[in-house]
Structures are given as C-alpha cells and as structure tokens.
Amino acid sequence: MPATVDESAERWADKYNDAANAIADFLDENFDSLVPEDVKEFTKAEKALRKLAKQMRDEAIVFKMEGLNEDLKAISKATERGTKAILKINDVKNGIRIVTGVIKLGVAVVSGNPGAAVAAAKDLAKDLKA
Amino acid sequence: MKQLSVVVLFSLLSGCNQPQEIATFAALTDRATVEFVSVAHSVVRNCEIIQKTNREKPESIFVTAGPEATANECASSDRAEKALLDSHKVITGYMNTLKLLASDNILITQPADGAIDSLKSGLKISDAQVVALKGLTNAIAKIATDGYRRRELAKMIDMADAPLQAAVTALAEVIEVNIAKDFDATADSLKSYYRRGLRGQDTSTVASILWIEQGEAELAALKEKKEATLGYCRMLKSIAGGHAKLKAANGNFKSAGLVQFLVEAAKSIQAEQLKVERAFASRR
C-alpha cells in the first residue's frame, strides 16, 4: 500500500533530522582536526537540514488535519442538530406552547379527571415531539 | 383519587432521568479541551526554538545573543497550528452543545408564570390554587423538558459518536506521532546548540558549567511539555471513551455503570488537564 502524503512527509522529516544529528555527532568527534571553514560548512548544512525537517513535519500535520474533514463535517451536523434543539427549548413561543400543555395537564390532574389528564398528557407528548 | 392520580402521573413522568451527568461530563470536557491551544501552539514555539538555535552562533559559550526568529520563518508552523485548532474547534463546539443541551439551566421556567396567569381567568381558579398549580406545573415542566432533552441528546450522541471516535483517533495519532516527534527534533536542535557552544572550550570552568545547566533546564522544560502533550492525548481518549459509553446507554443516562464510568473518566481528564496547565504555564 503506497504511503500517504503526510506519512511520506513525516518519514522524510525523520531522515533529515537523523542526517542533521549525524553531522552534529561528526563535528563533535572531529572538531579538533577540522579547519574552521569546514566546521562552518557542516554547521550550515546541519541547520538547513533541521529547518527543512521542521517544515516537512508541519506539512505532515496540515495534510493529516485536511484528511479529517469528512469526519468533522459529520460532527458539525450533529452539533447543528443539538443547537437547533437548544434553540427550540429556549424559544419563548414554543416554550409557552409546551408550558400551556403542561398546565392543562396539571389542571386535569388536580381536578381528579383521569380522562382529561390522559388527553392532556397525549397533547403534551405531541407538542414535545413537534 | 386526586392524590392517587398525581402520584401515578409523577411516577410515570419521573421515569425520565435528568441528563445532569452528561452536562457535568461535557462541561469538564469543554473546559479541559481549552488547553489544546497550548498544545497546538507548541508547533510554532518549537519552530521558534529551532530558528533561534539555528541563527545564534555560539562559537563560544559567551556569545548567546542573536536575532529572534521572525514570524515568516515559521509560516509552515503557523499553518499547522491553524489546521490543528480548526479541527479541534469542531470537537469543542460539539462538546459545548452537548453541555448546553444537557444543562439544567435551559429549563423553561420564565414563560410558566405568565402562561398560568393568562389561563387563570379562563379556568376560574383561586389564587391559592394558582400557587399550588405553579409548583406542580414547574415540576412537570422540568420533567417534560428533561424528556425532550434526553431524546435530543440521545439522537445527537448517536449521530456524532462514529465521526467523533474517528476524529479523536486521528488527532491522537497526530499528537502521539507528529507533535511528539516535533518535540524530539526540537530537543535535538537544542542539544546541538549547547554542544556547539562547548566545542573547543574547557568544560570545567564556571561559565561552561552554567552553560550546561542552562541547556539541561531548557531540555527538561521541553520534556515536561512533551509529556503533558501526550497526557492531553490520553485525555482526548478518555473523552472519546466517555462518549462511546453515552452512546451505548441509548438514552438511559442514569445507569449506575455509566455514571461510575463518567466519574472515573472525569477524574482522569482533570488530572491530565492539570499537568498540561502546569507544563505550559511556565514561559521556559
């Protein structure tokens, strides 16, 4: 199975970082025998490799996050649904309608009328579903 | 008869459990995930460290000053940070909605008084009966609204669980692989910088010892941030685990097993959140 862009970028970043570390080790081990110009060139190469490795790691993150988009769309839809539900509860007109139904039910219950209580409970259930 | 009707009706209606446990879990999750801003910004901060250690030239340990990294040198890190925050924002937005929908604060109580008063004349009931009715209707309204919320919560949780699990898995992988490696590579860059400063120097001098200590302190701070970042990853997994349990509850949010699980998940989330806060609070 071919590697994805983000996997490739991450792998190359690892290789560049390993190469930079190898140069740093080489400089430590051979510092006394190297001329200053060579030290300068190797140091420059090490820094360039680290910078490139960092950029590749960043790109790998961007690619991976872009791949998440489809899942995130589904979560956004669920959030939208939840928000609508909250708005429905907070909607005063709708709230009054529900509470009115609740009051009718309460009145039916305290008046000791089981038939009216059942009817009011049905109406309330219908309202809550709406 | 009246009393019996009330008792029977209340018994039936109170079968609707309040989703308060979910509100608590979601609120904690919502608060804890705020720490992701620090985790995401570490990508940029690490770039600044690499750029700084690249630009400064410690030919000797006495030369430490150098130009700071400019913003455009970390443009790729800025993009990565933005991509991370944008993706994460969807999860926190969802958790916030979950918290609001499960919260008792959205209970309808305001319209109740007005509605009762407007019905008072039509129903021809006394003031004393109005007072009694208000208490009863508020209680019934609460239970009725809870039923509505529970149904909506169950639907939303069911709809969001699979993509949430996938999103958390992907984010956790980015944290465990990409961001963890980013910390390791930044540590490599720091180590190299401090080694460069010591090349050709007498390592027994006070200046050298201080230089080594400074390097060790910076590396320790970086390690602490990496550990906290991995802790954030564990926290994300606890959140996903809690959500999966909520889905499995299928609307029965008061089951003892679920409540116990959410309590344990909340403890774990809080513990990791503290570690992340502590690690990123310092400006080291």
Side-chain angles (χ1 to χ4, degrees):
Chain A
M1 199 171 141
T4 57
V5 178
D6 56 271
E7 283 168 351
S8 301
E10 193 62 46
R11 208 160 46 225
W12 279 102
D14 288 347
K15 288 186 189 299
Y16 276 49
N17 197 60
D18 289 348
N21 286 342
I23 291 174
D25 289 344
F26 176 80
L27 280 170
D28 274 347
E29 286 158 17
N30 301 285
F31 184 75
D32 294 335
S33 61
L34 289 169
V35 294
E37 287 74 24
D38 287 341
V39 172
K40 199 177 169 185
E41 281 306 308
F42 276 120
T43 306
K44 207 170 138 187
E46 182 203 332
K47 291 174 178 178
L49 288 168
R50 292 200 192 283
K51 191 176 171 182
L52 283 167
K54 172 61 179 160
Q55 286 170 346
M56 285 178 195
R57 278 196 306 278
D58 291 338
E59 291 306 326
I61 290 174
V62 173
F63 277 120
K64 267 191 185 167
M65 290 298 99
E66 281 172 356
L68 253 184
N69 281 350
E70 282 309 306
D71 291 327
L72 294 177
K73 270 184 205 164
I75 297 175
S76 296
K77 271 186 196 168
T79 307
E80 201 182 319
R81 185 194 178 100
T83 311
K84 273 185 188 164
I86 294 165
L87 289 175
K88 205 171 169 185
I89 290 175
N90 282 333
D91 176 67
V92 174
K93 193 178 160 198
N94 197 43
I96 289 175
R97 188 167 56 83
I98 293 172
V99 172
T100 304
V102 169
I103 291 167
K104 281 183 187 167
L105 176 61
V107 170
V109 170
V110 293
S111 67
N113 184 342
V118 169
K122 277 183 184 169
D123 285 346
L124 179 61
K126 210 187 290 173
D127 269 350
L128 285 168
K129 271 183 192 165
Chain B
M1 170 64 189
K2 281 180 192 177
Q3 278 176 331
L4 182 66
S5 301
V6 173
V7 170
V8 169
L9 192 69
F10 265 105
S11 303
L12 288 171
L13 290 172
S14 59
C16 309
N17 299 315
Q18 290 173 36
Q20 193 53 42
E21 280 71 22
I22 305 173
T24 308
F25 175 73
L28 183 68
T29 300
D30 187 40
R31 202 164 52 237
T33 49
V34 167
E35 298 301 327
F36 190 71
V37 173
S38 303
V39 172
H41 188 64
S42 69
V43 175
V44 176
R45 181 72 193 118
N46 287 344
C47 177
E48 287 167 356
I49 293 172
I50 292 171
Q51 293 296 339
K52 196 177 165 197
T53 54
N54 271 357
R55 277 169 162 262
E56 290 178 9
K57 294 178 180 174
E59 280 86 4
S60 87
I61 50 177
F62 301 107
V63 183
T64 57
E68 291 288 327
T70 52
N72 62 350
E73 284 182 308
C74 292
S76 62
S77 306
D78 288 339
R79 278 202 307 279
E81 181 188 25
K82 189 179 177 305
L84 282 165
L85 289 176
D86 284 349
S87 304
H88 196 265
K89 205 158 45 182
V90 179
I91 296 176
T92 49
Y94 168 71
M95 284 301 170
N96 190 39
T97 302
L98 195 63
K99 177 185 76 180
L100 289 174
L101 192 53
S103 168
D104 278 345
N105 295 332
I106 58 166
L107 178 69
I108 310 164
T109 51
Q110 274 315 105
D113 289 348
I116 290 173
D117 289 340
S118 68
L119 285 175
K120 188 184 159 189
S121 54
L123 291 170
K124 293 190 172 68
I125 52 177
S126 70
D127 286 348
Q129 282 175 307
V130 167
V131 172
L133 198 54
K134 276 180 184 174
L136 176 65
T137 51
N138 281 344
I140 297 176
K142 179 170 166 45
I143 294 162
T145 314
D146 280 341
Y148 170 77
R149 283 189 298 166
R150 204 182 61 256
R151 276 198 308 277
E152 289 300 322
L153 270 171
K155 283 180 200 164
M156 186 170 75
I157 289 166
D158 187 58
M159 192 177 169
D161 191 60
L164 182 79
Q165 299 299 329
V168 166
T169 302
L171 260 178
E173 195 191 305
V174 168
I175 293 171
E176 283 172 334
V177 177
N178 302 70
I179 298 182
K181 276 186 185 175
D182 198 47
F183 274 110
D184 291 342
T186 307
D188 286 346
S189 190
L190 260 180
K191 278 180 211 160
S192 177
Y193 172 73
Y194 281 97
R195 279 157 67 187
R196 267 204 310 277
L198 286 173
R199 280 178 197 141
Q201 303 289 323
D202 177 357
T203 52
S204 64
T205 63
V206 172
S208 292
I209 292 166
L210 288 175
W211 178 256
I212 292 166
E213 280 180 1
Q214 186 182 319
E216 283 172 351
E218 284 189 37
L219 281 168
L222 205 60
K223 192 180 169 193
E224 192 187 348
K225 287 185 173 76
K226 182 190 167 186
E227 290 305 318
T229 300
L230 291 173
Y232 187 88
C233 189
R234 287 191 291 273
M235 195 173 87
L236 268 183
K237 287 177 181 174
S238 295
I239 290 168
H243 197 273
K245 285 275 180 189
L246 287 177
K247 185 193 176 229
N250 199 24
N252 180 18
F253 299 129
K254 280 275 185 184
S255 83
L258 174 67
V259 171
Q260 184 57 33
F261 183 89
L262 292 182
V263 167
E264 291 304 320
K267 275 185 199 163
S268 151
I269 291 167
Q270 263 178 327
E272 298 295 354
Q273 183 199 354
L274 278 175
K275 283 184 205 162
V276 179
E277 260 178 14
R278 232 178 279 137
F280 286 96
S282 69
R283 293 277 173 196
R284 287 175 295 178

